[in-house]
Amino acid sequence: MIAWESMDAGTKSAVGQLLRQHPDYERWQARAHGGDPELTAFLEASTWPDDIRKDRRFYTTGREEPTATLPGFPDMERRLHWHYVDRPVNPGAGTGPAAGVIDRQLAVLARIVGDRQATMAERAYALPWLIHLVGDAHQPLHAASRYGPDGQSDNGGNLVSIVNPFAARYTSMSLHRYWDDLPGPPWLRDGRLASAARSLAALHRPPTSPGTPEQWLDESWRLARERVYPPGDDAVPTISATFHEDALAIAGRRVAEAGYRLADLLQRLLHSGPRREDRNDR
Ligand SMILES: [Zn+2]
């Protein structure tokens, strides 16, 4: 939502045109309660790579047999390894190449989305992934893991249990989920989403430099190393009020930065060609 509010009209319209070619465009619209269909498509596209985790049309390599490829999709793989890169926060840990390819995919997807020689179907498939992964790259635990003495990764905090006394309902959760949910629940929509986005944007002005995906991931990794794991040696740490306040501020700032940078990236990829009025190729 922050990205959408920051984009110029030409970029919004180019984004809208691409997303209309996405095979799940009608599903996105069916879920909306009225409002601007281009904004609806943009918001639904941003969570689409997570939504397909529970969608039975898709499959996970190594766990399931491939499902039939439906029209408009290159295949139905969920691509779970695209969401993160597992860089160790503790020195000397994690031998061998890091698991996860978000670093490489950010570059590949940006190239496809901006490539006028690629087919509309290819660009439409790449765009929701690009929107989503710019967000993921700003969540510290999508760029880092802590490794145990046995050399095992904690999978970006997914294997770390915490108690969060500030949670509305269930206080037991993984550290990864805690950080994912800090900026707000993924099902926020409509007026409540708009007002949450407005207060974050008011609190955090656009970053001075848009930076590169490698810099965004490096910022995330540094945060993970210094401020994301609760202090102490408890096997299941309880989040303190001080830690929680700090975490909320970090997560809010990261989401705002992701929004501004996504807008900037899409403007550069989609609105740098000839002026729209000079084009009659579609
Ligand atoms: Zn993700």
Side-chain angles (χ1 to χ4, degrees):
M1 182 63 105
I2 293 170
W4 187 258
E5 296 296 331
S6 309
M7 288 192 297
D8 62 40
T11 307
K12 285 182 182 172
S13 144
V15 164
Q17 279 191 40
L18 274 181
L19 292 178
R20 261 198 302 283
Q21 308 295 318
H22 193 280
D24 276 353
Y25 180 81
E26 293 304 331
R27 285 178 176 243
W28 298 337
Q29 297 303 331
R31 236 182 265 165
H33 319 113
D36 175 2
E38 286 189 341
L39 171 58
T40 293
F42 188 72
L43 296 177
E44 294 297 330
S46 74
T47 53
W48 183 86
D50 276 344
D51 295 338
I52 65 172
R53 291 168 188 260
K54 292 193 179 134
D55 188 328
R56 297 173 63 99
R57 296 175 299 159
F58 296 82
Y59 72 96
T60 305
T61 301
R63 281 189 222 159
E64 293 151 306
E65 288 301 309
T67 49
T69 303
L70 298 170
F73 292 103
D75 60 56
M76 309 308 280
E77 225 284 311
R78 292 197 177 96
R79 316 198 198 289
L80 299 181
H81 60 301
W82 283 19
H83 293 258
Y84 64 91
V85 61
D86 224 0
R87 296 177 176 162
V89 290
N90 33 354
T95 50
V101 294
I102 190 173
D103 46 351
R104 266 179 283 157
Q105 281 309 311
L106 280 164
V108 169
L109 292 162
R111 192 165 40 71
I112 296 171
V113 167
D115 182 3
R116 267 82 173 168
Q117 310 299 316
T119 66
M120 287 296 268
E122 286 168 329
R123 297 173 68 201
Y125 180 79
L127 182 51
W129 271 111
L130 182 62
I131 297 168
H132 182 83
L133 294 187
V134 171
D136 275 354
H138 284 76
Q139 206 277 51
L141 287 172
H142 280 252
S145 284
R146 189 177 264 184
Y147 285 70
D150 54 358
Q152 279 303 106
S153 154
D154 71 4
N155 293 351
N158 272 297
L159 301 180
V160 178
S161 297
I162 58 135
V163 174
N164 172 18
F166 310 98
R169 289 171 69 197
Y170 304 105
T171 55
S172 293
M173 61 189 73
S174 76
L175 185 65
H176 187 96
R177 164 59 63 86
Y178 170 73
W179 278 95
D180 268 355
D181 287 355
L182 277 171
W187 38 260
L188 264 194
R189 290 291 184 280
D190 307 318
R192 291 171 67 196
L193 175 63
S195 78
R198 263 197 307 274
S199 23
L200 275 179
L203 210 54
H204 306 281
R205 300 315 300 157
T208 42
S209 146
T212 63
E214 212 31 72
Q215 287 167 336
W216 310 337
L217 290 166
D218 192 56
E219 293 164 358
S220 281
W221 176 81
R222 278 167 203 282
L223 285 169
R225 198 181 51 171
E226 287 153 22
R227 296 170 76 181
V228 162
Y229 286 83
D233 297 324
D234 292 347
V236 181
T238 297
I239 300 296
S240 72
T242 326
F243 183 90
H244 191 59
E245 206 176 305
D246 189 45
L248 273 172
I250 292 171
R253 175 168 57 78
R254 291 304 275 165
V255 164
E257 284 170 345
Y260 293 125
R261 287 165 165 174
L262 175 60
D264 178 81
L265 177 64
L266 294 178
Q267 288 197 179
R268 279 185 285 129
L269 292 174
L270 296 173
H271 206 220
S272 55
R275 277 175 292 124
R276 299 184 55 75
E277 50 271 30
D278 296 335
R279 303 185 63 173
N280 51 8
D281 58 348
R282 44 185 96 181

